[in-house]
Amino acid sequence: TYLGEMALTDPLRSTGTDLKLVDMERVEVLRGPQGTLYGSGAMGGAVRNIPAAPNLNEMESKLELGYAASAESDDDSNKVVGVFNVPLIDDKLALRVAAYRYDNGGYVDLVSLATVENSAATTGTQVDTREDVNSSTYTGGRASLLWRPTEQLKLSLMLGTQQLENDFTSFTNLTRDGYVNSGLREVPVVFEEDFDFANLVVKYDFDWATLTASSSQFDGQSKDASGLWFIGSFAAAGSFNDRTKEGFTQEIRLSSQLDGPLQFVAGLYYEDFENESLSIL
């Protein structure tokens, strides 16, 4: 998964950071393998989310508001997205900023069962009975600066951040009707994730080929704590996880624009990734 030229996929877990796709120009789905074109976890293909580029000639702004209600839920969902674009030097330099907040209402109910009541009595805890527990909030922003000093050369810098707060999880008990689950109350079940990133892209047009160099730096931290969970008919367990990740990627591609049927793509990819995890059960 890519945001523009920046890889979002965790190479150790093959999972991507769940960034909200605001102010997008288009989404590209590329068949695999993409080991030369896009280097991180792309052997099976790649999904490229292309943000809208800064407009070098016109000032733009927009505000998007959204509201939604879910059946069988007392929580509402809403979103606020704002975008602002300003040319700093006509046809040369422009800045584009997008900010957002998504509040998603929960719809999963925690219910009591006889087996869970027995487990609560054995462990000396309480059965967790609440409604609409899986609410979540996404808050973030992105700033993009585009500089085109010549017709052949373009430089773009993108900085962004996102915070995710999730109350409980969306797991449900498939053996029962409806969106329900069961658990024991001991530790609040939460999930929090902070993700910051920076990406610099340099493109130069040689007429016969285009050279693209992308440098990305990102770091993130996630924490989740689960309460005492009913396991089978005999035990309960809780856990706390603290994960951090930090990475740098450098990708260089040379794509031909030759006359005739023969074309080529040459690329180099470098990645330095660190992932640390602390788990307590």
Side-chain angles (χ1 to χ4, degrees), residues 5-255:
E5 295 288 348
M6 182 182 68
L8 296 177
T9 303
D10 184 332
L12 301 181
R13 295 194 180 98
S14 297
T15 58
T17 300
D18 183 20
L19 286 181
K20 283 297 184 182
L21 302 183
V22 301
D23 195 32
M24 290 288 122
E25 179 182 313
R26 67 185 185 276
V27 176
E28 298 178 353
V29 180
L30 308 178
R31 295 174 57 187
Q34 295 289 342
T36 300
L37 283 172
Y38 302 99
S40 179
M43 291 304 294
V47 177
R48 296 188 65 216
N49 305 296
I50 312 298
N55 192 323
L56 295 172
N57 301 302
E58 296 182 5
M59 182 175 292
E60 301 175 357
S61 64
K62 67 178 181 179
L63 178 65
E64 181 179 350
L65 304 176
Y67 173 83
S70 302
E72 305 300 330
S73 174
D74 295 329
D75 286 352
D76 299 328
S77 300
N78 58 78
K79 69 174 181 179
V80 179
V81 179
V83 179
F84 181 71
N85 182 97
V86 55
L88 302 176
I89 302 176
D90 285 345
D91 208 35
K92 297 291 184 181
L93 183 67
L95 174 67
R96 191 177 188 92
V97 178
Y100 56 89
R101 179 182 175 91
Y102 286 75
D103 289 302
N104 302 313
Y107 52 84
V108 173
D109 295 338
L110 296 180
V111 299
S112 178
L113 297 173
T115 51
V116 182
E117 295 281 356
N118 294 335
S119 184
T122 302
T123 58
T125 57
Q126 293 179 323
V127 177
D128 197 349
T129 55
R130 291 177 290 154
E131 295 184 351
D132 308 328
V133 295
N134 62 318
S135 61
S136 61
T137 300
Y138 291 79
T139 306
R142 186 179 71 242
S144 301
L145 187 68
L146 175 61
W147 181 35
R148 188 174 66 182
T150 67
E151 288 296 326
Q152 291 78 24
L153 179 62
K154 289 197 305 182
L155 296 91
S156 58
L157 175 65
M158 178 174 61
L159 305 175
T161 184
Q162 178 178 277
Q163 293 79 45
L164 166 61
E165 296 181 2
N166 201 118
D167 180 19
F168 206 73
T169 71
S170 295
F171 292 143
T172 59
N173 189 338
L174 299 180
T175 63
R176 297 176 58 87
D177 296 333
Y179 294 98
V180 298
N181 208 330
S182 300
L184 302 178
R185 179 177 297 161
E186 182 68 20
V187 180
V189 181
V190 297
F191 176 80
E192 298 178 355
E193 182 181 43
D194 296 334
F195 186 72
D196 302 313
F197 59 88
N199 176 239
L200 175 64
V201 179
V202 180
K203 287 189 177 183
Y204 192 86
D205 188 355
F206 292 102
D207 292 332
W208 57 272
T210 299
L211 178 65
T212 302
S214 173
S215 305
S216 301
Q217 175 73 41
F218 56 87
D219 60 84
Q221 182 177 23
S222 63
K223 297 180 180 180
D224 63 84
S226 66
L228 294 180
W229 279 93
F230 169 67
I231 302 176
S233 59
F234 56 87
S239 66
F240 171 80
N241 299 287
D242 188 346
R243 304 182 182 93
T244 60
K245 60 181 179 181
E246 182 176 353
F248 172 80
T249 61
Q250 178 66 56
E251 194 160 1
I252 300 175
R253 298 192 307 273
L254 183 65
S255 305

